[in-house]
Amino acid sequence: MARWWRARSNAASSTPRRSSWSSPPRASAARSASTARAWAASTAPARRPSAPRWPTLSDQVWQCSAFMQRHVPGFEQAGFSGIATRVGVRETRRIVGHDSLSEDDVLSARKRDDGIAKGSHHVDIHQSGTGQIRIPVRDGGSYDIPWGCLLPQGVRNVVAAGRIFSSDRGANGSARVMGPCLAMGQAAGTAAALLLDSGAGVADFATLPVQALRSRLQADGAILDGTH
């Protein structure tokens, strides 16, 4: 804490010694939102007046908080509680599956007889700075995620759900969001239950009849058909 206050003191002087600044103190429930804002302001790097200023991730947190308080019923008295200690990562490693979802499958709203989940989010790939690729699904439709995308090659008793599923980068930029990931998770858990109930001596997800899996998912309320 002493190192933090020394950094604040340096920031207030006319000739701040930035080389002596240290990392922020550990997060605690007792630190108020105003204190956090003050620390962020005191440690922000100097900018030339003429340089354009893009919102930082911290700026966006406060913008979202203010928006919720002003415009979303029930959040009028809500307050900022905390922020993650590290930046989230959208894209990581993916399996090589028995099947793979492609960007063309997504953009053409392709339907599959072996689909166990759906997606409709646009292809969304964040680039450096403010750059972003955004390509909508054709006619605002939806696409199917086939069961084989969740089955890694060379492994029999593993099913992989979420952004790790087998896909190219464009398809992953759409199906990595919460809705499709939840649907894939439901399919994976349901498949595991069906495989256990079958009494099979060897747990091999590739041997599970996909239509039996689809029927159970639909009986449980999963949306697999009926969307354009």
Side-chain angles (χ1 to χ4, degrees):
M1 184 65 73
R3 291 190 300 165
W4 177 54
W5 284 113
R6 186 174 67 250
R8 291 286 308 282
S9 176
N10 288 341
S13 68
S14 57
T15 56
R17 295 183 300 161
R18 294 188 180 276
S19 60
S20 66
W21 290 11
S22 58
S23 58
R26 294 183 180 273
S28 66
R31 189 188 313 149
S32 66
S34 61
T35 302
R37 284 195 296 270
W39 178 85
S42 70
T43 58
R47 289 187 298 268
R48 293 177 297 175
S50 59
R53 183 185 185 281
W54 302 108
T56 66
L57 292 175
S58 296
D59 291 333
Q60 293 179 38
V61 170
W62 299 113
Q63 290 170 359
C64 291
S65 177
F67 177 87
M68 298 287 284
Q69 291 170 337
R70 294 171 186 168
H71 302 291
V72 180
F75 282 84
E76 295 85 355
Q77 303 302 318
F80 176 77
S81 175
I83 189 171
T85 57
R86 63 183 64 184
V87 175
V89 178
R90 287 185 172 88
E91 183 178 0
T92 52
R93 295 180 178 181
R94 302 186 291 274
I95 67 168
V96 177
H98 290 216
D99 203 340
S100 185
L101 188 71
S102 71
E103 182 175 343
D104 287 341
D105 294 335
V106 170
L107 297 181
S108 64
R110 184 182 178 187
K111 306 301 187 292
R112 301 282 297 260
D113 291 337
D114 58 347
I116 46 75
K118 277 187 172 290
S120 60
H121 190 68
H122 58 266
V123 172
D124 180 13
I125 300 175
H126 292 244
Q127 299 174 303
S128 61
T130 59
Q132 186 178 14
I133 297 173
R134 296 171 65 93
I135 311 174
V137 179
R138 186 183 65 190
D139 299 327
S142 67
Y143 56 88
D144 291 351
I145 300 174
W147 174 232
C149 291
L150 277 62
L151 304 180
Q153 293 183 16
V155 185
R156 294 187 298 175
N157 63 338
V158 172
V159 57
R163 67 183 182 188
I164 195 175
F165 82 113
S166 183
S167 59
D168 65 20
R169 191 181 188 202
N172 198 265
S174 170
R176 62 171 174 75
V177 298
M178 291 185 183
C181 287
L182 287 168
M184 284 186 273
Q186 181 180 359
T190 301
L194 289 174
L195 203 58
L196 287 173
D197 290 345
S198 70
V202 178
D204 187 346
F205 283 100
T207 64
L208 183 67
V210 68
Q211 295 306 319
L213 175 58
R214 282 172 53 87
S215 295
R216 175 63 68 85
L217 289 171
Q218 289 175 311
D220 291 338
I223 299 175
L224 301 181
D225 296 311
T227 59
H228 68 287

